[in-house]
Amino acid sequence: MNKKQLIRLTLSAAITAILMSGAVMAQDNQQPQDANPNALQPTKKNPQQATNAADTKNLQQVVVTGTATSGGVKKIDASYSVTTATAQQIKEANPKSSADLLKMSPGVYPESSGGQTGANIEVAGFPGGGDAPYVTFQLNGSPLYPMSTLSFMDNSSMFRLDDTIDRAEIVQGGPAVLYGNGQPGVTANFILKQGTEVPSGDVGLTYGSEGMERLDGFYGFQIAPSWYASIGGFYRKSDGVRDPQFAADNGGSLTATLTHDFDNGGTLMFYARDLKDHNQFVTDTPILNPSKGQFSDYPGFNALTGTFGSNADRYTTIQTTPCYTTGCTPGSRNLDLAKGRGADVHMFGGNFDMDLGDGWSISDKFNLTGGQMNTISFFSTGNNPTTLASYISSAETADGLPAGLTATAKYANGGTANMNENVTTQGLWYVHKNIQAISNEFHISKELFDGNTLTFGNYEAVYNDHDTWYLGNNVLLQAKSNPNPVVVTLSNGTNTYNLTNSQGLASGPSTAVYEAWNATNTAFFLTDSWKVGQWLFDAGVREEHQEANGRVQNTATGDLDNNPYTLYNNGSTYLVAGNTYIPYSKTAPSWTIGANYEFNDNMSAYVRINDGVHFPGFDDLRGDPQQPVQKIHNMELGFKLQNDWSYTSVSVYRKLFYNVPYTTTTDTGQFTIDYGSETKGVNLQTTVKPFDHFTVALTGDYMDGHYTHDSGCTPYTTQAGLAACTSINGMVLQRQPKYQGRVTPAYEVPTGWGGMKFWLTYEYVGARYGDLIEQQPLGHYYDLSFGVSADIGQYWDLSLQGTNLTNQTGITEGNARLFGFASTDGVILARSIEGREVNFQVKYKF
């Protein structure tokens, strides 16, 4: 972070703290005023954190995400799509990761097959194709990081679910384009539990069939009149369903809050959250693909439990700089796969809401985030497995070696390798990311007349990202789970050629990056909400400016040791003196108009139109400094109904995208496509209760999306190996299912000692393509999960839950390194959902 931005960040934090402290002193010395009757206030005398959080299937529930005022809006009056979940419902969903929870919102498809982090999250109608550019995670209304996605870092990777979370609100588009970082896709807001007058908390122990042991806890209490505090978190260690022979997940989080309630109904709340968690990231693995959409296990590699991680390949040292002269010391990095793709981040933030009287109210939210988001993981090279003999022969040809060489192959940890066994290369990638960010969002609202409230606001974010990358570093491995690295030398009796080094490294870095980015986003917005009889109208406009400046160090390619016989590092990329500077400055507007009609207390309908924008990320600008601002136009109609036996929320939409870039690399070079898309779809949430104690919940969507506005012909290689090109116009949106749905029947059994609940969830994900030109069909799959819980008396909870009970193979992505056809000889590199996992928890509540 440069000096000017550091001063700006420090001043912003100081001004915020001074304003909040001044407000505390001023309000504590004022006489009580009438509280805002629309404000959402925690119930401090009751351990239940908020009265509206008790039943998320209630149209009278208040939601605070995507609204202009801190008081929020009732679900029945919300003219946009919002999914809510209590802490108990989050637990019963048993998500694999924080990203996996988003499938509760219809139309969101998280590919959580890679582990706790690095999920690709697709939003119906948003042409993402990987990572999570259209998903923002918030904590108490503030984005965790102002930019929703960077390479190797999406918002969900910075967040873990635990008992400190009171509830979640997931909003798709709508008025969310006006607030925070203006996310036009999905905004997932997680609201923390706070202390209460009556001390309360819980302690939970969980054991999982994948060798997982986890401790959860939370405690909320009063420290003085009108002052409350809480502390909680988790620690977990797990071998993982895909056991790498070392801890696949290892770490935890600690969260604390401090809250002060003013006499007139205002609230000041601070929170601090520390997360340190190391997680295995699972890349594409070899899978048999005998026909389109059909998949089965590759020999030696179970699609549900296999991983390239092992004790044999856990530790590796890579060379990063040349060393040509005697006595020089080459630059190097010692890599440990157990560090994985995790998070070491710290967050501090606060919320201040105050009714000033005479129709005036203010709200302020700020968040500071800092730490590291590092990656040490295998990534697919895009090459299917082959026999060791074939691999050596191809390498000899590629390197132009003389004929008649004798090959010797052994394992890195000893023993002679079999020339007929299948091998593969995996890229051992190292990414070090150091991030800092501060964001602040201020609202001031005035009730102009009865039912009409005008809000003016400002969002400011100052943030940076300093990266060091060494990608490539291909390791020659057995093509099986928990493999050994293979070491290969070639000799003619006089000269010895090292095809790999002693660790099995078959190449040095193919990409070396050192970059430092600094950015600011400034937005001003004006919104108006007008209640007229049974109608609620709202409209708003936002003007946002993004300014980014990057410094990218220059690179060169060559031999790292000036030795032609060490073939493994002859074509490496490394950093050299000098930098390239990339400036970026763009301004773009967003707007929304919505109307909701309340037929009665339990039924409403709405219509909404909005335009949102998506600014390019740092990595986008490094590839193309002239990246356009993406524009998203959304039209939506919705209907909500609740009665004694059912709850239904359904919406139909049409989404238009413009200026979406996509860059692909082929044998003939790198090509960038600039395209758009058009999507029509239906989202559905419903719960029916045909008789006492029995419910059936259904969540799903239908999505019909296609690419548009592609004026070029993108080259690719056909299945026959021929060169071809095609336009993507009319192709279905990459990696997005046309149909997906989840149905959960549940039965509750009241007992004299408490109660029990049984539920079963059937999840169906429809056929998709892994690429833009429909050459990688991923097929469809289903997942069956279950849950049993028992409340014993006032204090004890027991629960047993499991996922993928029938061990279904479900492909979430194809070969992400290839454009076009990816299956060769009936084998594809792809990634499946994890195999069966069952966990049991004992929780004591007090």
Side-chain angles (χ1 to χ4, degrees):
M1 183 176 294
N2 61 37
K3 183 177 180 181
K4 180 179 178 181
Q5 288 178 312
L6 181 61
I7 292 172
R8 187 175 183 180
L9 185 152
T10 305
L11 286 174
S12 298
I15 291 170
T16 300
I18 291 169
L19 287 174
M20 288 188 171
S21 300
V24 171
M25 295 175 65
Q27 291 299 323
D28 278 345
N29 287 314
Q30 288 182 5
Q31 294 299 316
Q33 300 178 10
D34 291 337
N36 179 358
N38 297 317
L40 170 63
Q41 300 298 334
T43 307
K44 295 299 183 182
K45 293 184 179 180
N46 191 320
Q48 178 65 38
Q49 295 299 311
T51 55
N52 75 298
D55 182 7
T56 59
K57 298 296 185 289
N58 185 340
L59 290 179
Q60 300 304 310
Q61 180 205 5
V62 175
V63 293
V64 297
T65 309
T67 63
T69 60
S70 61
V73 62
K74 292 180 181 179
K75 261 191 174 183
I76 195 169
D77 293 326
S79 54
Y80 54 92
S81 174
V82 56
T83 300
T84 53
T86 64
Q88 181 62 27
Q89 289 167 327
I90 291 172
K91 177 184 174 182
E92 291 179 3
N94 197 21
K96 287 285 187 180
S97 63
S98 59
D100 195 44
L101 180 71
L102 300 190
K103 65 188 180 186
M104 297 181 72
S105 181
V108 183
Y109 174 51
E111 298 176 359
S112 52
S113 54
Q116 286 288 312
T117 63
N120 301 306
I121 307 175
E122 304 296 337
V123 183
F126 284 68
D131 293 325
Y134 306 114
V135 177
T136 291
F137 273 55
Q138 293 182 344
L139 189 61
N140 275 35
S142 291
L144 303 185
Y145 188 78
M147 202 167 267
S148 55
T149 291
L150 297 175
S151 292
F152 309 100
M153 191 189 91
D154 67 295
N155 275 196
S156 74
S157 296
M158 304 172 68
F159 189 79
R160 304 291 185 274
L161 295 165
D162 60 22
D163 283 356
T164 65
I165 303 302
D166 178 53
R167 66 188 190 277
E169 298 180 355
I170 306 170
V171 171
Q172 294 194 39
V177 301
L178 302 179
Y179 310 117
N181 63 349
Q183 178 59 258
V186 167
T187 300
N189 186 16
F190 294 88
I191 299 166
L192 292 170
K193 292 179 181 177
Q194 300 174 38
T196 54
E197 285 188 13
V198 178
S200 62
D202 60 68
V203 177
L205 291 172
T206 307
Y207 178 77
S209 59
E210 77 280 24
M212 187 261 286
E213 296 175 345
R214 175 169 172 143
L215 172 66
D216 284 271
F218 173 81
Y219 182 53
F221 53 97
Q222 184 179 37
I223 57 177
S226 300
W227 287 91
Y228 310 90
S230 71
I231 189 168
F234 79 96
Y235 176 77
R236 173 261 295 113
K237 190 172 184 179
S238 170
D239 296 333
V241 176
R242 301 178 183 272
D243 184 0
Q245 299 178 334
F246 47 82
D249 299 298
N250 189 6
S253 178
L254 185 67
T255 302
T257 70
L258 177 65
T259 306
H260 178 61
D261 288 347
F262 301 110
D263 291 336
N264 71 340
T267 301
L268 173 66
M269 182 263 202
F270 294 102
Y271 61 85
R273 188 175 179 89
D274 183 82
L275 170 66
K276 189 169 186 177
D277 198 25
H278 296 296
N279 313 103
Q280 175 187 212
F281 175 74
V282 179
T283 186
D284 300 338
T285 65
I287 294 175
L288 293 183
N289 182 207
S291 60
K292 290 184 176 181
Q294 300 299 311
F295 307 97
S296 58
D297 289 346
Y298 182 84
F301 216 114
N302 188 306
L304 303 174
T305 62
T307 174
F308 282 112
S310 70
N311 283 329
D313 60 32
R314 173 177 172 178
Y315 298 104
T316 306
T317 300
I318 62 171
Q319 187 176 347
T320 58
T321 60
C323 184
Y324 293 162
T325 60
T326 302
C328 74
T329 302
S332 63
R333 302 275 174 162
N334 297 319
L335 308 187
D336 178 1
L337 278 176
K339 298 294 184 181
R341 186 173 179 175
D344 186 359
V345 294
H346 327 285
M347 300 176 190
F348 174 74
N351 295 60
F352 176 57
D353 302 305
M354 183 62 62
D355 185 345
L356 302 178
D358 196 27
W360 290 92
S361 63
I362 60 173
S363 174
D364 190 87
K365 298 184 285 284
F366 79 93
N367 176 271
L368 295 92
T369 294
Q372 298 179 12
M373 295 291 296
N374 300 331
T375 295
I376 300 176
S377 296
F378 281 128
F379 285 81
S380 167
T381 62
N383 298 316
N384 276 345
T386 185
T387 65
L388 178 56
S390 296
Y391 174 83
I392 293 173
S393 177
S394 298
E396 287 178 315
T397 302
D399 289 328
L401 299 180
L405 297 177
T406 300
T408 301
K410 62 180 183 179
Y411 301 122
N413 60 357
T416 301
N418 185 343
M419 289 291 180
N420 294 317
E421 73 175 323
N422 287 339
V423 295
T424 184
T425 54
Q426 291 293 309
L428 181 57
W429 290 12
Y430 168 87
V431 176
H432 177 81
K433 300 183 76 70
N434 195 327
I435 60 171
Q436 291 177 305
I438 180 170
S439 65
N440 192 85
E441 183 174 353
F442 176 76
H443 295 212
I444 182 166
S445 300
K446 168 64 175 174
E447 186 178 23
L448 301 180
F449 51 87
D450 188 29
N452 186 282
T453 300
L454 182 71
T455 299
F456 171 78
N458 163 249
Y459 169 77
E460 186 83 24
V462 181
Y463 53 105
N464 64 30
D465 175 32
H466 292 187
D467 280 16
T468 303
W469 300 8
Y470 293 105
L471 314 185
N473 311 304
N474 296 341
V475 184
L476 182 61
L477 300 169
Q478 295 173 298
K480 68 175 188 177
S481 188
N482 304 134
N484 279 308
V486 181
V487 179
V488 179
T489 59
L490 305 167
S491 176
N492 58 6
T494 303
N495 298 313
T496 298
Y497 298 86
N498 294 288
L499 194 59
T500 74
N501 74 354
S502 60
Q503 305 171 101
L505 278 167
S507 79
S510 58
T511 299
V513 173
Y514 177 77
E515 58 183 350
W517 287 92
N518 300 281
T520 60
N521 283 60
T522 300
F524 293 94
F525 48 88
L526 185 68
T527 71
D528 188 81
S529 175
W530 190 8
K531 180 76 172 177
V532 184
Q534 294 170 279
W535 287 94
L536 178 61
F537 300 95
D538 72 271
V541 63
R542 170 188 174 113
E543 186 83 351
E544 182 173 5
H545 177 74
Q546 175 173 299
E547 185 167 339
N549 292 280
R551 172 172 55 87
V552 182
Q553 189 170 338
N554 296 337
T555 62
T557 301
D559 192 350
L560 292 183
D561 59 7
N562 202 29
N563 181 352
Y565 298 107
T566 52
L567 304 175
Y568 56 85
N569 64 12
N570 284 354
S572 300
T573 300
Y574 51 89
L575 300 170
V576 296
N579 297 282
T580 299
Y581 294 89
I582 302 175
Y584 180 84
S585 181
K586 292 285 185 182
T587 301
S590 301
W591 58 265
T592 185
I593 301 174
N596 187 85
Y597 183 77
E598 187 177 338
F599 297 97
N600 49 48
D601 290 342
N602 66 325
M603 182 169 61
S604 66
Y606 67 87
V607 59
R608 179 166 295 279
I609 303 175
N610 64 267
D611 265 15
V613 297
H614 178 76
F615 286 93
F618 296 146
D619 304 294
D620 301 322
L621 296 175
R622 187 180 69 247
D624 178 9
Q626 303 304 317
Q627 284 268 339
V629 177
Q630 297 180 36
K631 299 184 181 298
I632 304 98
H633 183 67
N634 175 66
M635 295 155 280
E636 185 177 359
L637 292 169
F639 175 77
K640 301 170 187 175
L641 171 66
Q642 178 190 5
N643 54 38
D644 291 339
W645 61 273
S646 72
Y647 170 90
T648 299
S649 176
V650 61
S651 63
V652 296
Y653 60 82
R654 181 170 181 254
K655 299 174 183 177
L656 303 175
F657 265 76
Y658 306 94
N659 302 330
V660 183
Y662 180 86
T663 300
T664 181
T665 302
T666 69
D667 292 339
T668 56
Q670 194 173 74
F671 297 87
T672 298
I673 310 168
D674 188 6
Y675 60 86
S677 68
E678 178 179 358
T679 306
K680 300 180 288 293
V682 180
N683 287 338
L684 172 67
Q685 289 179 292
T686 185
T687 300
V688 296
K689 186 178 181 180
F691 51 87
D692 286 348
H693 310 305
F694 181 72
T695 60
V696 179
L698 172 65
T699 299
D701 82 293
Y702 164 80
M703 186 279 305
D704 182 19
H706 302 273
Y707 294 111
T708 62
H709 297 88
D710 176 23
S711 58
C713 192
T714 303
Y716 71 100
T717 301
T718 67
Q719 182 175 355
L722 302 176
C725 77
T726 187
S727 168
I728 68 169
N729 284 334
M731 303 289 184
V732 300
L733 296 187
Q734 178 187 13
R735 298 166 84 145
Q736 295 195 26
K738 196 168 189 177
Y739 301 95
Q740 64 170 322
R742 293 155 190 90
V743 59
T744 303
Y747 188 74
E748 296 181 3
V749 182
T751 68
W753 43 263
M756 297 188 68
K757 183 176 181 179
F758 303 83
W759 67 93
L760 192 71
T761 297
Y762 173 84
E763 174 185 24
Y764 174 82
V765 175
R768 296 138 291 124
Y769 288 95
D771 64 330
L772 281 74
I773 56 176
E774 301 183 7
Q775 297 295 300
Q776 297 184 29
L778 302 181
H780 62 271
Y781 68 89
Y782 77 88
D783 174 279
L784 198 62
S785 62
F786 82 99
V788 179
S789 66
D791 298 328
I792 303 175
Q794 183 179 353
Y795 301 109
W796 293 95
D797 282 350
L798 307 179
S799 62
L800 180 70
Q801 295 179 263
T803 58
N804 199 4
L805 298 182
T806 56
N807 270 333
Q808 297 298 305
T809 297
I811 304 301
T812 61
E813 72 171 24
N815 194 329
R817 305 285 167 257
L818 294 182
F819 185 82
F821 190 77
S823 180
T824 304
D825 298 326
V827 179
I828 187 174
L829 292 178
R831 192 168 64 196
S832 170
I833 60 175
E834 291 182 340
R836 182 187 302 114
E837 182 270 340
V838 178
N839 64 74
F840 176 71
Q841 183 184 69
V842 178
K843 177 175 286 189
Y844 178 74
K845 300 183 298 183
F846 55 90

